[in-house]
Amino acid sequence: MASGGRVDLDGGAVAPLTICMIGAGGFIGSHLCEKLMAETQHVVLAVDVYSDKIRHLVDPPPPHLAGRISFHRLNIKNDPRLEGLVKMADLTINLAAICTPADYNTRPLDTIYSNFIDALPVVKYCSENGKRLIHFSTCEVYGKTIGSFLPKDHPLRKEAEFYVLTEDESPCIFGPIVKQRWSYACAKQLIERLVFAEGAENGLDFTIVRPFNWIGPRMDFIPGVDGPSEGVPRVLACFSNNLLRREPLKLVDGGESQRTFVYIKDAIEAVLLMIENPARANGHIFNVGNPDNEVTVRELAEMMTEVYAKVSGEPPLEEPVIDVSAKEFYGEGYDDSDKRIPDMTLINKQLGWNPKTPLKDLLETTLTYQHKTYKEAVKTQMCLATAT
Ligand code: NAD
Ligand code: UDP
């Protein structure tokens, strides 16, 4: 039976799948659950320790989704129910991870355990039971670009081969062990190697995803509102928090690092293609990003300031940004990726996927969401904080 009349890229009917989605309650998981529920007939076993971001889908599932999605509150570190869920599913997608840079140098043990040790049983259960695995890695496995080791004004820095990141060719270049920032990248690299080796030696059907800064609504948390007051989320939420509180955006080490940002809804299209086209996706590692949306972090701050003024109607501050050192902001052991341009050749060839949304448009949608969702709660929280 086809899944809601869906066909794959080769014209074949897509059979309905049961998908065990680990980390379904996170940013990417919540968007993937929504997409699968809205556009397919696949069944989702949603696994996470939190369900807030998918409450509208699982608590309880609305009548039209009865039997399509169920929530399993469990910690994959130590829960024997995990193996049963993997066995019940045709496909497992593992999104679970500690993946906020502020944790990499301050909680390196938790970071390594979460991204390597805790992922091991998932790989093992898939391999032993002949189940397909889509494992979420990161663009950070590339580390720094080759060009970053050249002098600042060296002409070779402008040559694509010195900075474009290609799945099966580019090296993984991390800093020294004392720069604990790389604990995450290193753990992700080792789990990638393990998944790849299970494919090579034991025939595991796998796909590895390397997200390049996927952003959009529901990413991370706003400190003091739906996350810890002292917590440091990823840059989209940090800058949103600053804008909501009318405080300057903090540029770490001058905001010179460059990133490419892709809209979460574009990226989810790529994941759905991987789910429904196993013959084209298995055995591959895919970059998923938008090379056309490159900015420095400083430019991102300027753009977000301008877009937020438009969507909120509040004029920007006279001094909208301030510089902070990495040590001050993240503590000892922080380091940074200089530039992240994904090579899109492979995903384009295998799955015909291309990102669509320009940065300005995705920031407008996202900041409209942030303003609507958080402005009142931030005001209340600020009043309470000054009253105590
Ligand atoms: P997220 O933090 O929003 O989601 C991760 C989810 O996993 C959370 O809901 C968390 O509760 C859950 N989880 C963590 N440990 C768990 C455990 N032991 N048991 C059960 N659940 C657990 O992060 P995200 O942005 O949705 O990222 C998902 C994946 O994609 C991660 O593997 C991350 O490394 C990778 N990634 C994301 C991006 C991005 O741009 N968002 C970039 C690079 C890599
Ligand atoms: N950054 C910043 N100010 C902030 C938060 C982050 O300048 O308030 C910088 C950070 O140093 C990095 C970039 O923004 O250069 C992206 O950080 P993010 O946490 O989103 O994750 P990364 O892309 O490094 O994985």
Side-chain angles (χ1 to χ4, degrees):
M1 191 178 72
S3 178
R6 295 183 66 78
V7 286
D8 65 22
L9 291 169
D10 299 301
V14 174
L17 299 166
T18 298
I19 301 171
C20 172
M21 195 192 300
I22 305 168
F27 163 57
I28 295 175
S30 70
H31 285 274
L32 187 53
C33 285
E34 270 182 3
K35 180 86 171 174
L36 290 167
M37 291 305 109
E39 292 180 23
T40 78
Q41 287 302 314
H42 302 310
V43 169
V44 173
L45 312 173
V47 174
D48 206 306
V49 283
Y50 301 111
S51 59
D52 304 20
K53 294 183 185 184
I54 50 169
R55 186 162 287 152
H56 56 299
L57 299 176
V58 300
D59 195 16
H64 72 285
L65 296 182
R68 295 271 324 282
I69 184 162
S70 53
F71 182 68
H72 305 263
R73 190 177 305 280
L74 62 93
N75 187 330
I76 62 163
K77 264 183 196 306
N78 50 24
D79 200 306
R81 288 175 293 171
L82 179 64
E83 184 169 11
L85 291 168
V86 171
K87 279 187 181 167
M88 217 189 283
D90 305 294
L91 160 69
T92 292
I93 301 178
N94 189 6
L95 295 146
I98 287 179
C99 52
T100 35
D103 292 319
Y104 308 162
N105 60 314
T106 54
R107 299 170 58 203
L109 284 176
D110 288 342
T111 300
I112 294 167
Y113 272 82
S114 169
N115 284 285
F116 180 64
I117 306 285
D118 299 348
L120 281 176
V122 179
V123 182
K124 186 170 147 251
Y125 299 149
C126 288
S127 190
E128 286 174 356
N129 293 291
K131 303 291 185 176
R132 185 178 172 219
L133 171 67
I134 298 182
H135 184 83
F136 270 71
S137 180
T138 170
C139 60
E140 204 159 312
V141 294
Y142 294 109
K144 294 174 185 256
T145 63
I146 306 173
S148 71
F149 293 89
L150 294 167
K152 265 210 150 47
D153 50 358
H154 199 289
L156 284 179
R157 274 187 168 230
K158 295 208 164 66
E159 299 288 325
E161 64 198 277
F162 284 79
Y163 63 82
V164 172
L165 304 169
T166 305
E167 294 92 334
D168 299 335
E169 285 168 31
S170 298
C172 302
I173 309 175
F174 305 153
I177 304 299
V178 289
K179 295 287 186 190
Q180 296 205 72
R181 157 67 188 246
W182 303 108
S183 59
Y184 169 73
C186 201
K188 286 282 202 195
Q189 187 199 148
L190 192 53
I191 197 73
E192 277 201 24
R193 289 192 185 276
L194 187 105
V195 169
F196 197 89
E198 280 290 348
E201 292 190 29
N202 295 326
L204 172 70
D205 284 335
F206 74 87
T207 302
I208 290 171
V209 187
R210 291 182 180 164
F212 280 65
N213 294 78
W214 300 8
I215 61 173
R218 292 200 292 267
M219 185 169 198
D220 297 339
F221 57 91
I222 295 300
V225 176
D226 54 2
S229 303
E230 300 308 312
V232 180
R234 287 169 283 190
V235 68
L236 175 84
C238 283
F239 286 174
S240 301
N241 184 41
N242 298 143
L243 291 164
L244 287 158
R245 291 174 195 277
R246 292 194 62 71
E247 60 190 28
L249 281 57
K250 296 183 176 133
L251 298 179
V252 172
D253 285 346
E256 284 178 14
S257 297
Q258 291 166 291
R259 293 290 187 273
T260 49
F261 293 94
V262 65
Y263 187 38
I264 181 71
K265 290 193 190 293
D266 289 355
I268 290 295
E269 294 277 351
V271 183
L272 187 55
L273 285 165
M274 291 176 208
I275 293 172
E276 295 190 331
N277 292 276
R280 289 166 174 259
N282 281 349
H284 288 294
I285 300 172
F286 290 115
N287 289 341
V288 180
N290 187 339
D292 297 331
N293 279 350
E294 189 183 35
V295 280
T296 62
V297 174
R298 180 178 289 277
E299 287 164 346
L300 175 73
E302 288 164 359
M303 225 186 226
M304 284 181 66
T305 303
E306 184 195 318
V307 171
Y308 189 72
K310 182 177 159 197
V311 302
S312 68
E314 295 169 8
L317 299 178
E318 254 173 50
E319 284 184 45
V321 296
I322 50 164
D323 285 332
V324 290
S325 72
K327 193 165 169 199
E328 215 179 312
F329 193 79
Y330 288 112
E332 208 65 65
Y334 182 74
D335 200 355
D336 210 351
S337 299
D338 53 302
K339 184 175 174 78
R340 291 181 180 157
I341 300 280
D343 187 337
M344 292 282 94
T345 312
L346 185 65
I347 193 161
N348 195 263
K349 175 168 164 260
Q350 292 302 113
L351 301 172
W353 179 80
N354 281 305
K356 297 188 229 55
T357 314
L359 186 55
K360 195 84 175 262
D361 295 357
L362 78 87
L363 287 179
E364 189 158 333
T365 311
T366 307
L367 289 176
T368 302
Y369 170 88
Q370 302 287 60
H371 184 68
K372 221 170 84 191
T373 311
Y374 290 110
K375 186 66 196 186
E376 285 310 312
V378 165
K379 262 196 214 159
T380 310
Q381 194 255 340
M382 288 172 79
C383 287
L384 286 173
T386 44
T388 51

